Amino acid sequence: MDKFMQAAIEEAQQGLAEGGIPIGSVLVHNNKIIGRGHNRRVQKGSPILHGEMDAFENAGRQSAQTYREAIIYTTLSPCAMCSGAIILYGVSHVVIGENHTFLGEEALLKSKGISVEVLQNRQCIDLMQNFISSKPQLWNEDIGE
Amino acid sequence: MDKFMQAAIEEAQQGLAEGGIPIGSVLVHNNKIIGRGHNRRVQKGSPILHGEMDAFENAGRQSAQTYREAIIYTTLSPCAMCSGAIILYGVSHVVIGENHTFLGEEALLKSKGISVEVLQNRQCIDLMQNFISSKPQLWNEDIGE
């Protein structure tokens, strides 16, 4: 598998091991990871640290050019907030582990000229399906439901 | 002036005093502020802590019902990321200090059934115009340009 999606999955697994929601993400520029993260709702009591947001945060302040040349990998289709961050910074390409358990704002991303690739990766689907079965309330909270 | 917009302006002024970008926000539920914040790009080296995001973060984890009954006040029209967070949590009403210096994703918010009110407040406009004149690069960075 793509090494960057593998890194995002490792982030998701780390989140799960911490008692959190298993969604991970990496931000890649020039074939190098410049930020990696995972959902930290439980770990930090944070409503804004979705996996993608955590990857942006951990990448720190980057130039507009860096963002535009970057690719973001995420194990799950990005919600409105994470899609908004991707749009704000004009990240050119989004690689998504799966959108089977949750379909985020992919249409909005595409409408802004951002290319979107969905892998429907079995490992990503299993991570989410097992998690949603075991902690449905936590999952609903994470998507504002 | 509305006491909640006044509180958002005080947050913006605090950010400015800290050397940061003067945008503030408060999240209000049942006529009480449950989270307040300001842009902390400079202060925390954060690309995700816009004013609205900081207010959400400082409110901590809230129920879906609380978000839906909440109103968010922000001194400046919310960008794609902050609008996305508002959409994710289904905040019903957004009060905006001004959209004269920057027009965010108000159309997107409205398309999701969220009501948007723009005050074109002179104090908010002056805060941003003075800031953009003095630190244009920092402002461009904040909006991914």
Side-chain angles (χ1 to χ4, degrees), chain A residues 41 46-49 53 56-57 60-61 64 67-68 80-81 84-85 88-89 105 112 138 141 143-145, chain B residues 41 46-50 53 56-57 60-61 64 67-68 80-81 84-85 88-89 105 112 138 141 143-145:
Chain A
R41 174 175 299 274
S46 172
I48 68 168
L49 286 175
M53 303 300 287
F56 275 117
E57 183 71 348
R61 292 167 61 182
Y67 287 123
R68 282 178 197 151
M81 173 175 66
L88 170 64
Y89 291 119
E105 295 282 346
K112 302 283 187 179
L138 188 51
E141 182 192 328
I143 52 171
E145 283 179 6
Chain B
R41 174 174 299 274
S46 171
I48 68 168
L49 286 175
H50 275 188
M53 303 300 288
F56 274 118
E57 182 71 347
R61 292 167 61 183
Y67 287 123
R68 283 178 198 151
M81 173 174 67
L88 170 64
Y89 290 119
E105 296 281 348
K112 301 284 187 180
L138 187 52
E141 182 191 328
I143 52 172
E145 285 181 4

